[in-house]
Amino acid sequence: MTPLHILYSNNKELLLSINFSILPVKKTSRATRRKKERKMALNLNPIALKYSHKYPSFALPPKPNRKSPKFLRASTLSSGSTEVESLKKPFSPPREVHVQVTHSMPPEKIEIFKNLEGWVEENILVHLKPVEKCWQPQDFLPDPASDGFHDQFMELRDRAKEIPDDYFVVLVGDMITEEALPTYQTMDPRTENSPYLGFIYTSFQERATFISHGNTARHAKEYGDSKLAQICGTIASDEKRHETAYTKIVEKLFEIDPDATVLALADMMRKKIAMPAHLMYDGHDDNLFKHFSSVAQRLGVYTAKDYADILEFLVGRWRVEEITGLSSEGRKAQDYVCGLPQRIRRLEERSQGRAKEARYVPISWIFDKQVKL
Ligand SMILES: [Fe+2]
C-alpha cells in the first residue's frame, strides 16, 4: 500500500502531507521530512494529516480544564541568573481543552481517496512550485559578502524607519507562525485524521495566511518599504497557491461525496478553526497569541471580519448552497454553514459596539515596548 502525500516545496513551507489513513502515523524528524519534501513525491499510504500552520483565529479554544505538563525553558546559557530566571518562569503555553478524537473517518471511505490518486496527480501536483523558483528571505536582502553591503544596509534601515512598532509585532507573529511550523505539529486541529475535515481546515487556514500576508504587504508599501512589501507579497502568493490546491480537493470531495463533505464542513465550523499559531510563546507572555491577534485585528491585518469572509468565500467557492440530494442531516449542515457568515458578522458587530478600554502590553519581540491592543 502506498501513502498519498502531496508535497509542497517553496523553501519556506513545511511538507504538507495529505494523509488518508485510519492508522496513526509514526513521527518523523524534520530532516527526514525535508528529504521527503525534496523528492516531491506522490505516494500512497496510511497516514494522518500533518499540519503546518498557522494563523490567528477568532475561535480560540476555551480555558483549559487541565494544564499541559510544565517544564523549564531550555537554555544554552550557563549563568546562574539565567537559571534563576528560568525557574521563575516555567514554560506554560499550549492549552488543549478537548479530548482528542483520532481517526473518525469510516474505513470504507479510504477507497474514495485511493481512487483519487490519478486525479490528484493531474490536478494538484501542478501546483507544486518548481525547485528553481523557490526562494529564501535573504534573496531580498543585502548580501553581507558584497561590496555594497554597508550602503544597502543603511538604505534598508532608512526604508524601515517609518514602520511603526505594532506593524512589527504582526510581522514577527506572522513570520514565527511560518518558521515554527514543526513545533505546531503537535497541536490538535480537531480534524480527527479525517481528510474531509483536514482539507477543509487547511483550505481555511491557507486563505487566512494569504489574507494576512497580503495585508502586511499592503501596509509595508504604505509605510514606504517596497522591499518588505515585495517579501510579504511573495509569501502571500505562495499561500494563495496552497489555498488553491486545498480548495480544489474539497471541491472534488463535494462532487463525489457531498453529504459527508457538507457534514464535515459544518463540524469543522462548529469546532471553529483554531490555527496552530495559538501555541506561540516567547518565554514571557502567556497570552502572547491573544495579544498578537489583538494587534493584528486592530491594524486590520487579520480580523474577525476576515474569518466570516473566508467562510463565505469557501461556501461560494464550493457552491454549497446549490447542492441537492442531501440527507436530512446534510441539509441541516448546509443551512448551518450557509447562514454562518452572517451570524459571525452580527456577533462581531455587537462586540465592536461595546466600549473597550484601550490596553497596552509590552511585547518582547520589540524589546518590551508597549503596544496598544
Ligand atoms: Fe501555506
Side-chain angles (χ1 to χ4, degrees):
M1 195 150 59
T2 36
L4 174 62
H5 277 165
I6 294 178
L7 308 180
Y8 273 11
S9 174
N10 66 1
N11 280 358
K12 170 180 68 68
E13 291 286 333
L14 240 205
L15 146 74
L16 302 180
S17 316
I18 299 168
N19 297 331
F20 306 139
S21 167
I22 55 164
L23 300 175
V25 164
K26 193 169 66 175
K27 285 195 173 171
T28 53
S29 69
R30 191 175 183 179
T32 310
R33 286 195 302 271
R34 283 242 165 106
K35 202 173 161 192
K36 284 183 182 171
E37 186 177 10
R38 274 198 295 274
K39 284 184 185 169
M40 298 179 83
L42 174 74
N43 308 316
L44 256 208
N45 188 6
I47 16 193
L49 261 168
K50 289 226 190 295
Y51 294 92
S52 59
H53 309 208
K54 41 266 224 336
Y55 206 68
S57 138
F58 292 86
L60 293 177
K63 285 268 180 197
N65 53 19
R66 60 187 162 86
K67 301 218 171 194
S68 307
K70 297 201 173 193
F71 53 94
L72 294 182
R73 190 154 54 99
S75 171
T76 52
L77 302 174
S78 57
S79 82
S81 61
T82 305
E83 213 172 296
V84 170
E85 181 62 30
S86 295
L87 285 167
K88 276 183 190 166
K89 184 68 186 174
F91 178 74
S92 59
R95 293 176 290 237
E96 299 287 356
V97 290
H98 51 269
V99 175
Q100 183 168 3
V101 178
T102 57
H103 312 298
S104 62
M105 188 179 78
E108 61 270 19
K109 296 271 186 193
I110 291 175
E111 282 306 312
I112 290 180
F113 295 95
K114 281 187 188 164
N115 291 335
L116 276 178
E117 255 182 73
W119 178 86
V120 167
E121 205 153 359
E122 279 172 28
N123 293 276
I124 302 299
L125 291 191
V126 293
H127 296 291
L128 284 173
K129 199 180 207 175
V131 172
E132 57 277 12
K133 287 193 178 166
C134 291
W135 63 279
Q136 291 290 347
Q138 61 262 38
D139 297 343
F140 296 92
L141 298 171
D143 175 5
S146 72
D147 285 344
F149 174 70
H150 183 261
D151 289 345
Q152 289 169 34
F153 177 69
M154 296 310 285
E155 195 192 310
L156 185 152
R157 290 183 67 170
D158 206 44
R159 279 200 314 266
K161 72 175 184 233
E162 298 301 324
I163 299 177
D165 290 341
D166 44 17
Y167 176 89
F168 281 119
V169 169
V170 177
L171 183 71
V172 172
D174 272 11
M175 295 305 157
I176 286 176
T177 301
E178 298 289 345
E179 293 299 328
L181 299 181
T183 314
Y184 302 144
Q185 285 194 325
T186 52
M187 90 168 260
D188 171 22
R190 309 190 71 187
T191 50
E192 304 170 8
N193 290 306
S194 157
Y196 292 88
L197 297 171
F199 292 130
I200 288 164
Y201 176 88
T202 47
S203 294
F204 196 106
Q205 61 160 257
E206 295 296 348
R207 187 159 178 86
T209 50
F210 158 65
I211 289 170
S212 65
H213 291 299
N215 282 329
T216 53
R218 184 169 53 82
H219 289 194
K221 201 172 171 193
E222 283 165 14
Y223 296 130
D225 192 337
S226 57
K227 218 45 161 185
L228 182 57
Q230 194 187 354
I231 294 172
C232 296
T234 304
I235 299 171
S237 73
D238 280 340
E239 302 306 337
K240 182 71 189 169
R241 193 162 46 84
H242 307 159
E243 176 207 313
T244 304
Y246 286 124
T247 52
K248 263 171 98 169
I249 295 171
V250 177
E251 182 184 33
K252 188 72 180 166
L253 291 177
F254 267 115
E255 184 190 312
I256 57 182
D257 194 1
D259 220 62
T261 312
V262 77
L263 287 170
L265 178 57
D267 182 29
M268 209 59 241
M269 296 317 300
R270 278 196 187 95
K271 290 190 278 201
K272 296 171 184 156
I273 307 283
M275 303 292 178
H278 81 264
L279 300 181
M280 61 170 54
Y281 189 55
D282 63 351
H284 302 278
D285 184 354
D286 287 341
N287 293 309
L288 183 62
F289 175 73
K290 196 175 155 198
H291 294 153
F292 158 60
S293 299
S294 296
V295 181
Q297 163 92 17
R298 188 173 58 75
L299 294 193
V301 170
Y302 184 79
T303 68
K305 184 180 170 297
D306 290 318
Y307 190 90
D309 288 351
I310 292 169
L311 177 59
E312 189 168 67
F313 170 86
L314 294 175
V315 165
R317 166 76 180 77
W318 296 324
R319 300 178 175 191
V320 179
E321 256 175 338
E322 298 166 30
I323 302 170
T324 52
L326 293 171
S327 66
S328 72
E329 285 299 297
R331 281 199 304 277
K332 273 186 218 159
Q334 183 183 33
D335 288 346
Y336 169 70
V337 294
C338 291
L340 191 55
Q342 283 311 324
R343 284 176 51 199
I344 296 171
R345 285 198 189 103
R346 275 199 299 274
L347 286 171
E348 172 55 18
E349 278 162 23
R350 245 180 270 164
S351 97
Q352 291 284 334
R354 285 179 217 125
K356 283 182 193 137
E357 202 183 318
R359 257 189 82 204
Y360 288 81
V361 294
I363 302 279
S364 66
W365 298 336
I366 51 167
F367 309 103
D368 284 329
K369 285 195 208 169
Q370 298 278 332
V371 172
K372 189 179 173 186
L373 298 182

